[in-house]
Amino acid sequence: MALTASTSLDAHGSGRRAVEPVNEVLVALLENVKPVYPAMLALVAKAFYEIISQVLQTHERNGLEHARCFTGRDAVDAIYAIIRATDRNLAIVVGRALEQQKLFHDVDYEKRLRDDAAELYAFDDDVVNALLRAGVSDDDATLCQGNGHRADAAGINGVFVMLTDCYSPTCSSSQPCYSVTCPRQRAQQDHLRRTAKSNVATEMKQEKLWSMSVPKEIASSVSRKELDRQERLYELFYGEKDYVRDLCILRDLYMKPLHNGDFVAMDRRKNFITKVFKNALAVLAENMELHRALERRQNESFICHQVGDVFMPFVQNMEAYLEYCANQPYSMHFLEAEKRTNARLVEFLEKTDRRPECRKLGVQHFLTRPPTRLARYPLMLRAVLKKTPEGHPDRVSIPLAIERIEAMLNRINVETGKAQNRLRLFKVDEKLVCTVTDRNDLRLTDDQRRLVRDSQLRKRGGGETATIQVLLLDHMLLMCKVKVDSQTGEERYTLYKRPVPLQMLTICIPDDPSSTRPRMAARRDSSSGQGQEAASQPGGAAAGSGAAGAAGSATAGGASGPAAAGGAAPPAAVAVRPTIISIDNETQRDKYAYPLQITYLGRSGFTTTLYADKLADRKQWYQCIEQQQLELMERHRKFELVPVARQFPAGIRVTTADVYDQGRCVVIGTDHGLYLGVAGKPTSYQRLNHLKHDRVFQIEIHEQLNVMAMVADKERNLYVYPLDHLMTATTSSRHGQRVKPLHTHVSFFRFGQYQDMDILCSVRSTTLSNQTIIHVYKPTMSQPKSRTLGRFLSLGGESGLADSWKCIKECYIAAESTSLHFLRSRLCVGCSRGFEIVDLMTMNTQSLLDPADDSLGFINKRDTTQPIALFRVHDGQFLLCYDVFAFYVNRNGQRARSNWMIHWVGTPTSFKFEYPYILAFDSQFIEVYHVETGSVVQVIITGNCASLSPNKMNVNLCVTSHSPAHPQEVLRIQHILAKDPI
């Protein structure tokens, strides 16, 4: 029964002509369809939904878009394969039995199931939910014999008698039993096919013709082309008459009785009629005028000479259609919701549907008439225009009318799409049971909120039947357990895990390592010359380009493989789609299903694995989440990561970096020494072998003093080199000798100013003694010489000796220090006791925070918080950044902006301030917040990340790698409006 795209469908017994188009996705799904007992409609319905739900698309018909629907031909193809039919007419009859039980319906509520690719159908959400809740097991879905079949799916039930197995135990397909009613008897099968064909044939209707409504002499007096034109016009006239009649039926047989009767409670009646019927009377009034104008034109003569002028007044004002059509999703929802709880309304509608005027079509058909009729106007007018001779007035007026109608259809499509999305979110909001905080974070009722995808995934593979309802919003991923209220029977969503912001989410496929990579939407390539330069490996080996292995702007970054031999930089990488590895063995597939690992980054994050039943479903989830992440990141992008150097192999760990000459030159410190080069030029980077330091922990360049200080070697010595040492290549020269360290066992240091004097502060902290010693040095050197870029990069040449430094102060703090900041006349030290102020004149220390300020009590309650950074913002206010939160204080140490506070999602180890943004560096991502509003504006997921220059205000360098075993890359964090260094 499998259908293939490579061979004729007819060759596989599908009953379709080989020339008809094939849905490739559906064909692939039907190749492995599991057989079910075809007489049990519940089993057929479940199998049908599982297949068709994977090929739901947004189809366009007559200018109107219909979301999440399928074609009649796809439906018949699926049922044909499920029930193993030998005649497509039989599949149509079974499909109509499912349609009769409301599993799906025509998008216009007009036609029954037809084997036609132009006919569109959609599932009924309530019936589908009932079907899935029923939990028809896989054992029930397998082909079996006898009376052991079950069909317990709520909402869909019944036995299709013509497809039941024979009750006789001796009956088989090769030797049918004696009964004339045995389904295996050939005569019975022929009767079944004839019945199916006759049922399908009753759907055909005879068209009304203009030539049969006028005298024969009139019809014979016109040319063949004019005859065709009159037929098209006549179709337009009687179609408008039928349409207005249907709107009158909606008014007279539904709206008026509902308004005057007691089918709906009095206190809800007006609201119900407004929600369901909206402005249907305004639409009727507009089309009544059009119908009368067309009727007058038709009565003028047997031959209608012009129709475009009649439509022009109508197309001038169609706003009533926009309001009515945009309300369609809500109309159907409120109608079905009322029917579920109002038996009197159901009885009234069923009684009215049986009236001859309604033609058993139901109220839904009449409610959908306005949008379907409006969509048919361009089609019918084009048919008239095609038969209209050149120079005719309709050649001018009809195109204008079509243009305005299609413009209205486009507006309707946009508004209807928004309404459908809002309705789906409204249903989720009604079902969701969560805390007020989570509901406020989700903001499901916001106008800009979108529901991108939702379906069920399993908690575990194998025989685990517990499912999780997963909903992908435009900003968050929601995972819920579905529970049914025992009293009302309604669904309720309870949170399975905390809602995951997409900016803090990573996904991967466990059996595909290439799918695990950071979504660096802020990443872009560096200068144009980088991809063409050759890059030598640190230590003499070849290395790849700094831009290799990561995607460009608005794409996901990835780690590159081994560098190209000979030092040639590979071309800029492009975004690579993940390779989905399928499990071929059927036993393994049933045991493990298809896992999708979801990780919520941050201090309160988690990792969970959900399982899809089908490979295609997992792939769609992966792609949808990835695409939505990239769209969200690009929309909120404020900063981008720009490569400044080539990649360093995993064996060389980058620890620190600084820039010189307006950011054009970069000095990089590693555990294998120093490297120097020009930003964006991989070939310029060379190891400074004449500065013999095995490990470099921190470097900082003071351009005005023309010195570079660094903490290096195993003893963590503090060295201060003149910049000339960076230019010296001759190891025999006096500059090749290592200078004497200023201090040893230095934790970190900082350049700053004290009383308009440049100083260097060396900090030595000890954990065991829990104390900090700060040595303050001032330079005792001549006037610094200017250094140019060419001089900086030149090799050879002699320079002066290192500048001398004198220790002028030495202070102690009884706590381990982690940061140092310069105020105008004092130092601020971040230590285990908080932020401490040190007066260098008196050597007294005091807490930065005012102990009398009760609003700062939350600091005292947290003994584990670590102060990291302090930034002066404006108006005498300081931003204090801890590893958990950030807040403002004034110059007196009192809380400022009492309602303002940032709670970091991650655990930042360093910060960068670039007004009006504060950047917090976690080991896996970078958070960007607005310092005025306190709201997050961007999250850059980087993999393993560290700031290389945490103490320099204007230097934003960081190093990233996917894992310790992957190469490292030095990047500059740059505002998207900033200019690259010249």
Side-chain angles (χ1 to χ4, degrees), residues 102 124-130 133 155 263-264 268 272 329-347 349-350 364 423 426-428 430-431 487-492:
K102 311 298 184 182
D124 186 292
D125 292 337
D126 295 327
V127 177
V128 167
N129 291 335
R133 285 200 306 265
F263 305 109
V264 181
R268 297 185 297 106
F272 171 75
Y330 296 105
S331 174
M332 298 300 175
H333 168 72
F334 289 117
L335 176 63
E336 294 299 327
E338 185 68 25
K339 288 169 63 177
R340 284 194 293 269
T341 59
N342 191 336
R344 288 179 58 82
L345 176 63
V346 174
E347 181 182 0
L349 293 177
E350 291 178 348
Q364 291 91 342
L423 178 59
F426 174 77
K427 292 180 179 180
V428 173
E430 280 188 330
K431 298 177 181 179
Q487 297 180 352
T488 63
E490 297 180 351
E491 283 187 341
R492 288 289 180 263

Short mmCIF file of all heavy atoms in Angstrom, two decimals, residues 102 124-130 133 155 263-264 268 272 329-347 349-350 364 423 426-428 430-431 487-492:
data_model
loop_
_atom_site.label_atom_id
_atom_site.label_comp_id
_atom_site.label_asym_id
_atom_site.label_seq_id
_atom_site.Cartn_x
_atom_site.Cartn_y
_atom_site.Cartn_z
N LYS A 102 -17.57 15.19 12.93
CA LYS A 102 -16.93 16.48 13.22
C LYS A 102 -15.42 16.40 13.41
O LYS A 102 -14.82 17.31 13.99
CB LYS A 102 -17.55 17.13 14.48
CG LYS A 102 -19.05 17.18 14.49
CD LYS A 102 -19.60 18.03 13.35
CE LYS A 102 -21.12 18.15 13.44
NZ LYS A 102 -21.69 18.92 12.32
N ASP A 124 -11.26 19.88 13.64
CA ASP A 124 -11.96 20.50 14.76
C ASP A 124 -11.12 20.26 16.01
O ASP A 124 -10.90 19.12 16.41
CB ASP A 124 -13.35 19.90 14.93
CG ASP A 124 -14.17 20.61 15.98
OD1 ASP A 124 -13.80 20.51 17.17
OD2 ASP A 124 -15.17 21.26 15.64
N ASP A 125 -10.63 21.34 16.63
CA ASP A 125 -9.70 21.20 17.75
C ASP A 125 -10.31 20.45 18.92
O ASP A 125 -9.64 19.63 19.57
CB ASP A 125 -9.23 22.59 18.22
CG ASP A 125 -8.35 23.26 17.19
OD1 ASP A 125 -7.76 22.55 16.36
OD2 ASP A 125 -8.26 24.51 17.21
N ASP A 126 -11.57 20.70 19.23
CA ASP A 126 -12.20 20.04 20.38
C ASP A 126 -12.31 18.54 20.16
O ASP A 126 -12.04 17.74 21.07
CB ASP A 126 -13.58 20.64 20.64
CG ASP A 126 -13.51 22.10 21.05
OD1 ASP A 126 -12.52 22.46 21.71
OD2 ASP A 126 -14.42 22.87 20.71
N VAL A 127 -12.70 18.13 18.97
CA VAL A 127 -12.83 16.71 18.69
C VAL A 127 -11.46 16.04 18.69
O VAL A 127 -11.29 14.92 19.20
CB VAL A 127 -13.56 16.49 17.34
CG1 VAL A 127 -13.64 15.00 17.01
CG2 VAL A 127 -14.96 17.08 17.39
N VAL A 128 -10.47 16.72 18.14
CA VAL A 128 -9.12 16.16 18.12
C VAL A 128 -8.58 15.99 19.53
O VAL A 128 -7.98 14.96 19.87
CB VAL A 128 -8.18 17.06 17.28
CG1 VAL A 128 -6.73 16.67 17.51
CG2 VAL A 128 -8.52 16.93 15.81
N ASN A 129 -8.79 16.99 20.40
CA ASN A 129 -8.34 16.87 21.78
C ASN A 129 -9.01 15.71 22.48
O ASN A 129 -8.38 14.97 23.25
CB ASN A 129 -8.61 18.18 22.53
CG ASN A 129 -7.74 19.32 22.05
OD1 ASN A 129 -6.65 19.09 21.53
ND2 ASN A 129 -8.20 20.55 22.22
N ALA A 130 -10.30 15.53 22.24
CA ALA A 130 -11.01 14.39 22.83
C ALA A 130 -10.45 13.08 22.29
O ALA A 130 -10.33 12.09 23.02
CB ALA A 130 -12.51 14.51 22.54
N ARG A 133 -7.07 12.50 24.01
CA ARG A 133 -7.22 12.18 25.43
C ARG A 133 -7.70 10.76 25.64
O ARG A 133 -7.45 10.16 26.68
CB ARG A 133 -8.22 13.14 26.08
CG ARG A 133 -7.70 14.53 26.33
CD ARG A 133 -8.55 15.22 27.38
NE ARG A 133 -9.95 15.21 27.05
CZ ARG A 133 -10.57 16.20 26.42
NH1 ARG A 133 -9.88 17.26 26.05
NH2 ARG A 133 -11.85 16.14 26.15
N GLY A 155 -15.74 11.06 21.32
CA GLY A 155 -16.11 11.92 20.21
C GLY A 155 -16.18 11.20 18.89
O GLY A 155 -17.05 11.48 18.08
N PHE A 263 -33.19 30.87 23.95
CA PHE A 263 -32.19 29.81 23.74
C PHE A 263 -30.88 30.13 24.45
O PHE A 263 -30.10 29.23 24.75
CB PHE A 263 -31.95 29.60 22.25
CG PHE A 263 -33.21 29.33 21.48
CD1 PHE A 263 -33.74 30.27 20.61
CD2 PHE A 263 -33.89 28.13 21.63
CE1 PHE A 263 -34.90 30.03 19.91
CE2 PHE A 263 -35.05 27.88 20.93
CZ PHE A 263 -35.57 28.83 20.07
N VAL A 264 -30.63 31.40 24.66
CA VAL A 264 -29.45 31.85 25.41
C VAL A 264 -29.93 32.74 26.54
O VAL A 264 -30.90 33.49 26.38
CB VAL A 264 -28.45 32.61 24.51
CG1 VAL A 264 -27.23 33.05 25.28
CG2 VAL A 264 -28.05 31.76 23.31
N ARG A 268 -26.65 37.11 28.81
CA ARG A 268 -25.54 36.85 27.89
C ARG A 268 -25.97 36.89 26.43
O ARG A 268 -25.15 36.72 25.54
CB ARG A 268 -24.94 35.47 28.18
CG ARG A 268 -24.32 35.35 29.54
CD ARG A 268 -23.63 34.00 29.75
NE ARG A 268 -24.57 32.88 29.68
CZ ARG A 268 -24.67 32.04 28.67
NH1 ARG A 268 -23.89 32.18 27.62
NH2 ARG A 268 -25.55 31.05 28.69
N PHE A 272 -23.54 37.36 23.20
CA PHE A 272 -23.35 36.17 22.38
C PHE A 272 -23.64 36.46 20.91
O PHE A 272 -22.86 36.09 20.02
CB PHE A 272 -24.26 35.05 22.89
CG PHE A 272 -24.31 33.85 21.99
CD1 PHE A 272 -23.25 32.96 21.93
CD2 PHE A 272 -25.42 33.62 21.18
CE1 PHE A 272 -23.30 31.85 21.09
CE2 PHE A 272 -25.48 32.53 20.35
CZ PHE A 272 -24.41 31.64 20.30
N PRO A 329 -12.66 33.73 13.33
CA PRO A 329 -12.17 32.74 14.31
C PRO A 329 -12.87 32.83 15.65
O PRO A 329 -13.22 31.81 16.25
CB PRO A 329 -10.68 33.07 14.42
CG PRO A 329 -10.33 33.75 13.14
CD PRO A 329 -11.55 34.54 12.78
N TYR A 330 -13.09 34.06 16.14
CA TYR A 330 -13.79 34.22 17.41
C TYR A 330 -15.24 33.75 17.29
O TYR A 330 -15.79 33.15 18.21
CB TYR A 330 -13.76 35.68 17.85
CG TYR A 330 -12.39 36.20 18.14
CD1 TYR A 330 -11.74 37.06 17.27
CD2 TYR A 330 -11.72 35.85 19.31
CE1 TYR A 330 -10.47 37.55 17.54
CE2 TYR A 330 -10.45 36.33 19.60
CZ TYR A 330 -9.84 37.18 18.71
OH TYR A 330 -8.59 37.65 18.97
N SER A 331 -15.87 34.05 16.16
CA SER A 331 -17.26 33.66 15.95
C SER A 331 -17.44 32.16 16.11
O SER A 331 -18.32 31.70 16.85
CB SER A 331 -17.71 34.12 14.56
OG SER A 331 -19.01 33.65 14.28
N MET A 332 -16.61 31.38 15.44
CA MET A 332 -16.72 29.92 15.53
C MET A 332 -16.39 29.43 16.94
O MET A 332 -17.03 28.50 17.45
CB MET A 332 -15.79 29.27 14.50
CG MET A 332 -16.13 29.62 13.06
SD MET A 332 -17.81 29.09 12.64
CE MET A 332 -17.97 29.77 11.00
N HIS A 333 -15.42 30.05 17.57
CA HIS A 333 -15.02 29.61 18.91
C HIS A 333 -16.16 29.82 19.91
O HIS A 333 -16.51 28.90 20.68
CB HIS A 333 -13.79 30.38 19.36
CG HIS A 333 -13.47 30.22 20.81
ND1 HIS A 333 -12.98 29.04 21.34
CD2 HIS A 333 -13.60 31.08 21.87
CE1 HIS A 333 -12.80 29.17 22.64
NE2 HIS A 333 -13.17 30.39 22.98
N PHE A 334 -16.75 31.02 19.92
CA PHE A 334 -17.81 31.29 20.90
C PHE A 334 -19.06 30.48 20.60
O PHE A 334 -19.77 30.09 21.53
CB PHE A 334 -18.12 32.79 20.92
CG PHE A 334 -17.03 33.62 21.53
CD1 PHE A 334 -16.35 34.57 20.79
CD2 PHE A 334 -16.67 33.45 22.87
CE1 PHE A 334 -15.34 35.33 21.35
CE2 PHE A 334 -15.65 34.20 23.44
CZ PHE A 334 -15.00 35.15 22.68
N LEU A 335 -19.32 30.22 19.35
CA LEU A 335 -20.47 29.39 19.00
C LEU A 335 -20.29 27.97 19.54
O LEU A 335 -21.19 27.40 20.17
CB LEU A 335 -20.66 29.38 17.49
CG LEU A 335 -21.78 28.47 16.97
CD1 LEU A 335 -23.14 28.93 17.50
CD2 LEU A 335 -21.79 28.45 15.44
N GLU A 336 -19.11 27.37 19.29
CA GLU A 336 -18.87 26.01 19.76
C GLU A 336 -18.81 25.95 21.28
O GLU A 336 -19.28 24.98 21.89
CB GLU A 336 -17.56 25.48 19.17
CG GLU A 336 -17.59 25.30 17.66
CD GLU A 336 -18.64 24.31 17.22
OE1 GLU A 336 -18.89 23.34 17.97
OE2 GLU A 336 -19.22 24.48 16.14
N ALA A 337 -18.25 26.98 21.90
CA ALA A 337 -18.19 27.00 23.37
C ALA A 337 -19.59 27.05 23.97
O ALA A 337 -19.87 26.37 24.98
CB ALA A 337 -17.36 28.19 23.84
N GLU A 338 -20.48 27.81 23.39
CA GLU A 338 -21.86 27.89 23.89
C GLU A 338 -22.61 26.58 23.65
O GLU A 338 -23.40 26.14 24.50
CB GLU A 338 -22.59 29.05 23.22
CG GLU A 338 -23.99 29.31 23.74
CD GLU A 338 -24.01 29.81 25.18
OE1 GLU A 338 -23.00 30.39 25.61
OE2 GLU A 338 -25.05 29.63 25.85
N LYS A 339 -22.35 25.94 22.53
CA LYS A 339 -23.03 24.68 22.23
C LYS A 339 -22.65 23.58 23.21
O LYS A 339 -23.45 22.68 23.50
CB LYS A 339 -22.71 24.25 20.79
CG LYS A 339 -23.39 25.08 19.72
CD LYS A 339 -22.84 24.78 18.34
CE LYS A 339 -23.09 23.36 17.92
NZ LYS A 339 -22.61 23.12 16.54
N ARG A 340 -21.42 23.64 23.74
CA ARG A 340 -20.99 22.59 24.66
C ARG A 340 -21.74 22.64 25.99
O ARG A 340 -21.83 21.62 26.68
CB ARG A 340 -19.48 22.72 24.92
CG ARG A 340 -18.63 22.22 23.77
CD ARG A 340 -17.18 22.04 24.21
NE ARG A 340 -16.54 23.31 24.54
CZ ARG A 340 -15.88 24.05 23.68
NH1 ARG A 340 -15.76 23.67 22.41
NH2 ARG A 340 -15.32 25.19 24.06
N THR A 341 -22.26 23.78 26.35
CA THR A 341 -22.92 23.92 27.64
C THR A 341 -24.39 24.29 27.54
O THR A 341 -25.06 24.42 28.57
CB THR A 341 -22.20 25.00 28.47
OG1 THR A 341 -22.23 26.26 27.76
CG2 THR A 341 -20.74 24.60 28.73
N ASN A 342 -24.91 24.46 26.34
CA ASN A 342 -26.29 24.93 26.17
C ASN A 342 -27.04 23.95 25.28
O ASN A 342 -26.95 24.00 24.05
CB ASN A 342 -26.28 26.33 25.55
CG ASN A 342 -27.65 27.00 25.58
OD1 ASN A 342 -28.67 26.32 25.65
ND2 ASN A 342 -27.66 28.32 25.51
N ALA A 343 -27.77 23.05 25.89
CA ALA A 343 -28.51 22.04 25.14
C ALA A 343 -29.66 22.66 24.34
O ALA A 343 -29.99 22.18 23.24
CB ALA A 343 -29.04 20.97 26.09
N ARG A 344 -30.27 23.71 24.87
CA ARG A 344 -31.38 24.35 24.15
C ARG A 344 -30.89 24.98 22.84
O ARG A 344 -31.58 24.92 21.82
CB ARG A 344 -32.04 25.42 25.04
CG ARG A 344 -32.85 24.85 26.19
CD ARG A 344 -33.44 25.97 27.03
NE ARG A 344 -34.28 26.84 26.24
CZ ARG A 344 -35.55 26.58 25.93
NH1 ARG A 344 -36.12 25.46 26.35
NH2 ARG A 344 -36.26 27.43 25.21
N LEU A 345 -29.70 25.57 22.87
CA LEU A 345 -29.15 26.15 21.65
C LEU A 345 -28.86 25.05 20.63
O LEU A 345 -29.14 25.22 19.43
CB LEU A 345 -27.87 26.92 21.98
CG LEU A 345 -27.12 27.51 20.78
CD1 LEU A 345 -27.97 28.55 20.07
CD2 LEU A 345 -25.78 28.11 21.21
N VAL A 346 -28.30 23.93 21.07
CA VAL A 346 -28.01 22.83 20.15
C VAL A 346 -29.30 22.32 19.52
O VAL A 346 -29.35 22.07 18.31
CB VAL A 346 -27.29 21.70 20.90
CG1 VAL A 346 -27.11 20.48 20.00
CG2 VAL A 346 -25.94 22.18 21.41
N GLU A 347 -30.33 22.19 20.31
CA GLU A 347 -31.62 21.72 19.77
C GLU A 347 -32.18 22.69 18.75
O GLU A 347 -32.70 22.29 17.69
CB GLU A 347 -32.60 21.51 20.93
CG GLU A 347 -33.95 20.98 20.50
CD GLU A 347 -34.91 20.84 21.67
OE1 GLU A 347 -34.52 21.16 22.81
OE2 GLU A 347 -36.06 20.42 21.44
N LEU A 349 -30.48 24.86 16.87
CA LEU A 349 -29.68 24.85 15.65
C LEU A 349 -29.95 23.60 14.82
O LEU A 349 -30.05 23.67 13.58
CB LEU A 349 -28.19 24.93 16.01
CG LEU A 349 -27.72 26.25 16.64
CD1 LEU A 349 -26.26 26.17 17.02
CD2 LEU A 349 -27.97 27.44 15.71
N GLU A 350 -30.06 22.44 15.47
CA GLU A 350 -30.35 21.22 14.72
C GLU A 350 -31.72 21.29 14.06
O GLU A 350 -31.88 20.84 12.92
CB GLU A 350 -30.27 20.02 15.67
CG GLU A 350 -28.86 19.71 16.16
CD GLU A 350 -28.84 18.55 17.12
OE1 GLU A 350 -29.94 18.13 17.57
OE2 GLU A 350 -27.74 18.05 17.45
N GLN A 364 -22.73 27.24 10.47
CA GLN A 364 -21.35 27.58 10.13
C GLN A 364 -21.21 27.93 8.65
O GLN A 364 -20.40 28.80 8.28
CB GLN A 364 -20.42 26.40 10.48
CG GLN A 364 -20.27 26.15 11.96
CD GLN A 364 -21.29 25.15 12.48
OE1 GLN A 364 -22.31 24.90 11.83
NE2 GLN A 364 -21.03 24.59 13.65
N LEU A 423 -6.69 33.92 19.13
CA LEU A 423 -7.65 32.94 19.63
C LEU A 423 -6.93 31.73 20.21
O LEU A 423 -7.29 31.22 21.28
CB LEU A 423 -8.60 32.52 18.51
CG LEU A 423 -9.64 31.46 18.88
CD1 LEU A 423 -10.51 31.94 20.03
CD2 LEU A 423 -10.50 31.10 17.68
N PHE A 426 -5.58 32.76 23.40
CA PHE A 426 -6.68 32.92 24.35
C PHE A 426 -7.07 31.57 24.94
O PHE A 426 -7.31 31.44 26.15
CB PHE A 426 -7.88 33.57 23.65
CG PHE A 426 -9.12 33.65 24.49
CD1 PHE A 426 -9.23 34.60 25.49
CD2 PHE A 426 -10.17 32.77 24.29
CE1 PHE A 426 -10.38 34.68 26.27
CE2 PHE A 426 -11.31 32.83 25.07
CZ PHE A 426 -11.42 33.80 26.06
N LYS A 427 -7.12 30.54 24.11
CA LYS A 427 -7.44 29.20 24.59
C LYS A 427 -6.36 28.69 25.54
O LYS A 427 -6.66 28.08 26.57
CB LYS A 427 -7.60 28.24 23.41
CG LYS A 427 -8.82 28.51 22.54
CD LYS A 427 -8.89 27.51 21.39
CE LYS A 427 -10.12 27.76 20.53
NZ LYS A 427 -10.21 26.79 19.39
N VAL A 428 -5.09 28.94 25.20
CA VAL A 428 -4.00 28.53 26.07
C VAL A 428 -4.09 29.26 27.40
O VAL A 428 -3.90 28.66 28.48
CB VAL A 428 -2.64 28.78 25.40
CG1 VAL A 428 -1.49 28.52 26.37
CG2 VAL A 428 -2.48 27.91 24.17
N GLU A 430 -6.71 30.41 28.86
CA GLU A 430 -7.83 29.88 29.62
C GLU A 430 -7.47 28.56 30.30
O GLU A 430 -7.87 28.29 31.44
CB GLU A 430 -9.04 29.66 28.71
CG GLU A 430 -9.84 30.91 28.42
CD GLU A 430 -11.12 30.59 27.68
OE1 GLU A 430 -11.15 29.59 26.93
OE2 GLU A 430 -12.11 31.31 27.87
N LYS A 431 -6.68 27.74 29.62
CA LYS A 431 -6.35 26.41 30.15
C LYS A 431 -5.19 26.43 31.14
O LYS A 431 -5.06 25.53 31.96
CB LYS A 431 -6.00 25.46 28.99
CG LYS A 431 -7.12 25.23 28.01
CD LYS A 431 -6.65 24.35 26.86
CE LYS A 431 -7.75 24.12 25.84
NZ LYS A 431 -7.29 23.27 24.71
N GLN A 487 -14.72 17.33 36.94
CA GLN A 487 -16.09 17.83 37.04
C GLN A 487 -16.59 18.39 35.72
O GLN A 487 -17.69 18.06 35.27
CB GLN A 487 -16.18 18.89 38.13
CG GLN A 487 -15.86 18.36 39.53
CD GLN A 487 -15.98 19.45 40.58
OE1 GLN A 487 -16.16 20.63 40.26
NE2 GLN A 487 -15.86 19.06 41.85
N THR A 488 -15.78 19.22 35.08
CA THR A 488 -16.21 19.87 33.84
C THR A 488 -15.75 19.14 32.59
O THR A 488 -16.28 19.37 31.51
CB THR A 488 -15.70 21.32 33.80
OG1 THR A 488 -14.27 21.31 33.78
CG2 THR A 488 -16.18 22.09 35.02
N GLY A 489 -14.74 18.27 32.72
CA GLY A 489 -14.20 17.59 31.55
C GLY A 489 -13.31 18.47 30.69
O GLY A 489 -12.91 18.05 29.60
N GLU A 490 -12.98 19.68 31.15
CA GLU A 490 -12.16 20.60 30.37
C GLU A 490 -10.68 20.36 30.63
O GLU A 490 -10.28 19.91 31.72
CB GLU A 490 -12.52 22.05 30.71
CG GLU A 490 -13.95 22.43 30.34
CD GLU A 490 -14.24 23.86 30.68
OE1 GLU A 490 -13.40 24.50 31.37
OE2 GLU A 490 -15.31 24.37 30.29
N GLU A 491 -9.88 20.67 29.64
CA GLU A 491 -8.43 20.52 29.76
C GLU A 491 -7.84 21.63 30.61
O GLU A 491 -8.29 22.77 30.58
CB GLU A 491 -7.77 20.53 28.39
CG GLU A 491 -7.90 19.24 27.61
CD GLU A 491 -7.08 19.29 26.34
OE1 GLU A 491 -6.73 20.40 25.90
OE2 GLU A 491 -6.81 18.22 25.77
N ARG A 492 -6.80 21.28 31.34
CA ARG A 492 -6.04 22.25 32.11
C ARG A 492 -4.56 22.00 31.86
O ARG A 492 -4.11 20.86 31.83
CB ARG A 492 -6.34 22.15 33.60
CG ARG A 492 -7.72 22.67 33.97
CD ARG A 492 -7.76 24.19 33.87
NE ARG A 492 -9.07 24.73 34.23
CZ ARG A 492 -10.01 25.04 33.35
NH1 ARG A 492 -9.76 24.84 32.06
NH2 ARG A 492 -11.16 25.55 33.73
#
